[in-house]
Amino acid sequence: MSELKLMKGNEALAEAAIRAGVDAYFGYPITPQSEVIEYLMTERPEERTGMVVLQAESEIAAINMVYGAASTGKMVMTSSSSPGISLKLEGISYLAGAELPAVIVNVVRGGPGLGTIQPSQADYFQSVKGGGHGDYKLYVLAPASVQEMADFIEDAFDIAFKYRAPVLILSDGLIGQMMEKVVLKDQKERMTDEELIEKYDSWAATGKTNRKRNIITSLDLESEKMEKRVHRLMAKYERMEKEDMRYEKIACDDAEYLIVAYGSSARISQKAIELARAKGIKVGLLRPITLFPYPKQPLFELADQVKGILSVELNAGQMVEDVKLAVEHKVPVEHFGRTGGIIHTPEEVLEALEQKIINNERIGHYKTRESSIL
Amino acid sequence: MNVLDIIKPENQVFCKTKLMTDTTLSYCPGCGHGTAHNLTMEVIDEMGIVADTIGVAPVGCSVLAYDFMNIDITQAAHGRAPAVATAIARCWPDKYVFTYQGDGDLAAIGTAETIHTCNRGENIVIIFVNNGIYGMTGGQMAPTTLEGMQSSTSPYGRDSKTMGMPIKMTELVANLPGVYYATRQSVHTHKHARKAKKAIRKAFENTRLKQGVSFIEIVSNCNSGWKMTPLEANEWMEEHMFAYFPLGDIKVNGKLK
Amino acid sequence: MAKVKGAIVVDTETCKGCEVCIPVCPEDVIGMTTEVNRKGYHYAYMKNPEACTGCTNCGIVCPDRAISVYRVKVSA
């Protein structure tokens, strides 16, 4: 039976992983997400479900352990935070290139460099613009609550195995550390080795029985083959955009202005919208749930309805570029965001909306959609 | 009796194992990698364990091992094969998992993975081909390049004052309790090759008994990198490589020799 | 004891002419051809076929497993 609990985001994620039937977790300590491996070690999941949990000697080793388990078809994941994710990026590029299913969790902290251990959303570019080398993308889910930290584990694995691709859950220190009520699902049975071998016999390297050998590699020395591989990856991403893009619209029906924000910033912006509406300012929120595939079309349509858009993100301005791309100059798009680990308040968001958008002299000077067609 | 009568199928006493594909080896003529590949596959074939064997290939000359080894194999990022193998062995405790790596892969970029995989005593076989150079990338200095030995990045010979002495990885890991068997072999003559094959067989038997890490170093030649013919390289190896990297068992059944 | 006779078959297109098999033959059976195979390598052949005992030394050191070895007992 499902269970209602009060938990930290990091711990809800770990518990949800056990309940989702994850086969293996490989991690390494780094604030603000060490609770994930601490919780897993405390729960002794090898006794509960047979799940393997191992602390590696580095994030690099951990992501390559993920690669190893994934190459045999196991449900495998890792979690880290910003600097640790930078160390994992080569491995993530290998996972994408070798077409392996895996889930990586980034509980983002302030950067660059050692940065700070306080929350941030400054890894947006790293997450959605590749991060590692080569032509690949990551399917990125951005939880905005402890509930979503739990729910997105199963969603991420569904996508990972549907596309045989690495999936990133982009959280942040705020969501990882804060406690909220969370409904946890029932325990899902882990697949037996026999079931797994049968299901993934066409590709998983589980030992050559009476079939052709299975090779897991991202190497193609012949360019023609490498290009085919890249095209195969791109086809996946197109399909992700068609079938698995997720977003949420809040108070947009009568909105004259729009805030675009994900994760913690979306939660804070909802309060800013309340404050704004109390002052008669009709503003709505578009919350991307997947950062790739990004909700370009809904944003493009909303740009016809509103006079201006504020992108709110705990960084110096990253997602704002994608908002501008999606809006295609129909209306002004501005960024607001505290950095360095400081969390902007709803009042600050409202003030930015007023200064940067409502009092923006370019409001109304933009060609409307009809005239732009003529 | 003429040759045609002798070479009847029933008289065959030696041929290539079916666990090696028919793809022409990419290795240079006389390179020890080919022999090491074949000995390993022959062991797996003779033990009848191919259905439960998973190989992990490195980055380096043997990155293409998966083109030659007719087994299930996953190709790891440079230096990370031991980590990849760790996860496979943990998730599939009854499988035979082995890494096949070169000296740059295992003793340079992959040092941490090598040390910690050995220290955890993962139930795997590590086959480490030491030819004292980075072969695939064209002959650069490796952690095992001998003092005074030339390479494309030590054109005037390795200077131990600036680059230190070559690393004896097998002795290093042999001191970790997680290592059950550590030996240094070679494959350039029939005697050495047969001994190397026995060592590889013992390693896979250790895996069967879940004894932890079996670490097999194979000192080998690199004809292109050393700029010698295969026979010259093998002679040079015996004189110089074996002097610094002496052959023989270093740890057996968990005890240092 | 019964005398044995041996012979080797070299896959002439696989052989890379590395000559590693030559010094390991106790009977000095193997030599390198003057012709070259399709890749331009001289390849191994039985220079002294009569002397071969089928001991497999050459087979086991050949990196490319280009040599198959045969052996048969012959009465005195």
Side-chain angles (χ1 to χ4, degrees), chain B:
Chain B
M1 172 173 281
N2 71 42
V3 173
L4 291 180
D5 299 331
I6 302 172
I7 56 170
K8 293 205 191 80
E10 64 272 23
N11 296 335
Q12 189 176 77
V13 289
F14 183 86
C15 70
K16 183 167 87 171
T17 164
K18 59 183 183 314
L19 291 191
M20 284 293 281
T21 69
D22 292 330
T23 311
T24 307
L25 295 181
S26 53
Y27 305 118
C28 308
C31 170
H33 269 307
T35 319
H37 278 35
N38 278 285
L39 294 178
T40 308
M41 291 307 110
E42 282 156 20
V43 163
I44 293 168
D45 198 5
E46 283 150 24
M47 289 175 74
I49 54 172
V50 67
D52 288 316
T53 299
I54 302 165
V56 183
V59 167
C61 284
S62 47
V63 64
L64 294 173
Y66 60 77
D67 271 343
F68 314 129
M69 296 181 180
N70 191 14
I71 61 171
D72 272 12
I73 195 162
T74 184
Q75 187 264 315
H78 193 29
R80 315 311 173 190
V84 172
T86 293
I88 298 172
R90 292 282 177 126
C91 291
W92 302 85
D94 296 330
K95 298 279 182 184
Y96 295 84
V97 185
F98 73 96
T99 74
Y100 185 104
Q101 303 172 254
D103 40 39
D105 193 272
L106 180 139
I109 190 170
T111 309
E113 280 76 10
T114 304
I115 299 283
H116 287 280
T117 300
C118 288
N119 196 53
R120 288 189 301 264
E122 302 295 344
N123 193 40
I124 65 171
V125 174
I126 293 179
I127 295 173
F128 159 42
V129 177
N130 170 12
N131 55 15
I133 205 156
Y134 282 86
M136 171 67 102
T137 39
Q140 293 78 15
M141 181 176 69
T144 49
T145 297
L146 300 178
E147 191 176 30
M149 185 176 168
Q150 286 178 318
S151 75
S152 65
T153 51
S154 61
Y156 309 107
R158 179 189 189 131
D159 176 359
S160 58
K161 285 194 297 305
T162 53
M163 288 310 294
M165 290 297 283
I167 295 177
K168 294 189 176 185
M169 219 37 183
T170 307
E171 282 82 351
L172 221 152
V173 299
N175 286 289
L176 299 170
V179 173
Y180 184 73
Y181 177 46
T183 183
R184 181 176 293 120
Q185 303 289 329
S186 76
V187 292
H188 63 300
T189 73
H190 56 291
K191 285 201 203 78
H192 294 93
R194 289 200 173 96
K195 273 180 69 185
K197 184 173 178 179
K198 275 203 199 77
I200 294 169
R201 174 68 185 244
K202 180 186 276 200
F204 278 89
E205 294 292 350
N206 290 340
T207 301
R208 185 202 302 270
L209 303 170
K210 299 201 168 34
Q211 300 286 14
V213 173
S214 292
F215 193 93
I216 317 271
E217 176 180 349
I218 295 176
V219 182
S220 178
N221 57 7
C222 177
N223 312 324
S224 306
W226 299 356
K227 298 185 172 38
M228 299 173 194
T229 69
L231 291 182
E232 285 164 0
N234 287 343
E235 260 166 51
W236 188 87
M237 174 170 67
E238 284 187 342
E239 196 186 336
H240 298 278
M241 291 288 278
F242 294 174
Y244 191 83
F245 297 109
L247 302 185
D249 287 343
I250 294 158
K251 188 175 197 181
V252 178
N253 299 344
K255 288 186 206 53
L256 286 165
K257 296 291 272 193

Side-chain angles (χ1 to χ4, degrees), chain A residues 257 259 281 283 310 349-358:
Chain A
Y257 301 98
I259 290 176
I281 303 168
V283 55
L310 185 70
V349 171
L350 174 56
E351 194 188 331
L353 181 71
E354 285 165 335
Q355 281 172 2
K356 293 182 173 229
I357 299 296
I358 296 169

